[in-house]
Structure formats: C-alpha cells, structure tokens
Amino acid sequence: MQLAHIPLDRLNISALNMRHGKRAPDLSDILPSVRARGVLVPLLVRPNGSPESFEIVAGRRRYFAAKSLADERGKADPLPCAIMEAGEDADALEASLIENVARLDPDEVSQWETFSRLIREGRTVPEIAGTFGITELQVKRILALGELLPNIREAYRRDEIDTETARYLTMASKAQQKDWLALFADPGQYAPRGYQLKQWLFGGQSISTKVALFAIEDYPGLIVSDLFGEESYFADADLFWQKQNARLPPSATPVWNTVGAR
C-alpha cells in the first residue's frame, strides 16, 4: 500500500464501489467535519489504466464531501489516498486505516503534541505516517502547528480560531504572530482571518515562487512555505520585484505590478 495526496480531478468512482453511482449521497452527517478538519481517513483507490487517474474503491462519501467543499470555496485540496496493490483486500485495508486514524486524538493540537513527542523520541515522519495510516504530508501539516505561539495554539484548541486562520498563521513570523495576537486579544481591534489574514501577512500580495524568472536559490530574502496549499511565497514583495525586473531584457519595461500574486 502506498499513501499519497491525489487531486480531485484525478479520481472517479469505481464500478466495484458498493454504492456506485454519480448522484451525490447524503452528506449531512460528515460535511461539517470535513469542512472543519478536511478528509482525515484516506480513500482506498487503485490505478485506473493510467498513472494519472485512479478509481475509488472505498471512500465515496468522503470524495463527494470534498467536492462539495471545493464548490463552496472555489478550490479543491488533494485528498489523502491509500493506493491498493494487486492482491490487497479492500475491506481489511479500510478497516485498518479507520482503526489507526481513530487512535489519533480528535483535535489537531493534541495530534501535534503526540507527533512532537514521537519526533523527540526519534521517530521519523514516514514512521509516524505509517503508524497512524495517514500520509507524510498530513503529519507535516500537523507538525507545522509547532510554528504557532502557545497562546494561538490554545485558542485554536478552544475553537476560538478557525482552521483556515490557524493554517495561515503557521506561515507567519513570530513577530507577525505577536502583532496578530495583540489584535485578536483587543475587542476594539479587528484581527484578520482566513484569506484576509494571508493578504495581511504578505502586505497585500502573496507572490508564488512559481512565477519567478530568476533562480530561487539566488533570492536573498525569506521564502515562506504553505504546507496546506503546497505553495511557497516570497515574503518581501519589493525584493521579489527587484530580482524579477533585473531578469528582463534591457529593452523591456519593468513590470511593477502584482502578476502572479494572490
């Protein structure tokens, strides 16, 4: 069995799925959990005649819940999947995955405490992923909560901070976190949340490393990684544009705008 995160558009329902059908099932019981925490239990999939596509053997409702969430937010996160190999029994494999994930504490801060303790004891990210039947990326995302100030982590544990906001705060420097926490603690101030927080962190524009015309290793500033969106961004927009425009031909007009920014 191989664990991986697979984009939604590379997944489809297998004819072997007991609840095979194109109509979305009732998701009222699981959608709130998926909306709050994402899909935790990996879907069981197998190759579908192409290395780029997979069919879902088990996890149809999780798939439709993720699609529903993608429609709400306008973006689709890759789903954790267990890729079956020839001869593997789907029922036994799914039961094992569910049992392992059920052993995890329900909230992400408690999971971070567990994973951090295991890291201190010498366990590696792949070993932790194998123990709990989740992907290495899921483990890294939980460990990223260690970048948060303790007061922010505790507020997140108490559900005073939503998941999207907490995840963006893992990209913030300690100084930015302190500034944000001061706003959050002051009832007379507004602490940006969600996508507004992302804009606040990057001074109005978050520029992906994908749009750079120069070699990333030549950039002298800080690059911030977003484990949850699997992107990396330039922390200093002005420094980025200096490097970017330096790579333009002499006859070209400098492009001081936000192309590639989000």
Side-chain angles (χ1 to χ4, degrees), residues 60-127:
R60 177 173 175 267
R61 295 178 73 238
R62 278 164 271 163
Y63 166 75
F64 277 106
K67 286 190 66 176
S68 178
L69 192 61
D71 291 339
E72 289 178 10
R73 298 180 175 175
K75 62 178 182 179
D77 294 329
L79 294 183
C81 296
I83 303 173
M84 297 179 59
E85 298 177 0
E88 287 187 318
D89 181 86
D91 289 338
L93 188 54
E94 184 178 41
S96 174
L97 289 169
I98 292 174
E99 179 184 3
N100 285 337
V101 173
R103 291 162 51 194
L104 278 172
D105 291 300
D107 70 274
E108 289 183 331
V109 176
S110 295
Q111 292 173 20
W112 168 76
E113 291 171 344
T114 298
F115 292 173
S116 297
R117 176 175 54 80
L118 292 173
I119 290 291
R120 290 195 299 271
E121 293 174 356
R123 301 288 292 277
T124 65
V125 168
E127 288 172 340

Side-chain angles (χ1 to χ4, degrees), residues 186-198:
D186 187 343
Q189 297 289 333
Y190 171 72
R193 313 258 183 145
Y195 188 75
Q196 289 181 332
L197 170 59
K198 184 177 181 181

Side-chain angles (χ1 to χ4, degrees), residues 105-177:
D105 291 300
D107 70 274
E108 289 183 331
V109 176
S110 295
Q111 292 173 20
W112 168 76
E113 291 171 344
T114 298
F115 292 173
S116 297
R117 176 175 54 80
L118 292 173
I119 290 291
R120 290 195 299 271
E121 293 174 356
R123 301 288 292 277
T124 65
V125 168
E127 288 172 340
I128 294 172
T131 296
F132 293 101
I134 58 179
T135 67
E136 292 180 28
L137 181 57
Q138 285 175 296
V139 175
K140 291 178 181 178
R141 286 174 171 174
I142 295 299
L143 288 172
L145 297 180
E147 299 299 318
L148 298 176
L149 293 175
N151 287 348
I152 293 178
R153 274 201 304 271
E154 288 307 308
Y156 181 41
R157 192 202 294 269
R158 296 191 299 266
D159 290 328
E160 295 172 4
I161 299 175
D162 64 274
T163 300
E164 185 178 22
T165 297
R167 290 177 174 178
Y168 282 137
L169 282 170
T170 64
M171 301 169 62
S173 67
K174 291 297 188 286
Q176 287 176 316
Q177 290 184 40

Side-chain angles (χ1 to χ4, degrees), residues 10-70:
R10 291 173 56 188
L11 298 170
N12 58 76
I13 305 298
S14 169
L16 295 178
N17 190 295
M18 293 178 62
R19 298 178 179 85
H20 175 65
K22 294 185 178 180
R23 180 179 298 178
D26 178 19
L27 305 172
S28 58
D29 58 333
I30 68 168
L31 193 54
S33 174
V34 172
R35 186 180 288 118
R37 302 297 182 190
V39 175
L40 297 179
V41 180
L43 286 68
L44 286 185
V45 303
R46 67 179 190 178
N48 191 24
S50 164
E52 299 299 321
S53 63
F54 299 85
E55 58 182 27
I56 299 167
V57 177
R60 177 173 175 267
R61 295 178 73 238
R62 278 164 271 163
Y63 166 75
F64 277 106
K67 286 190 66 176
S68 178
L69 192 61

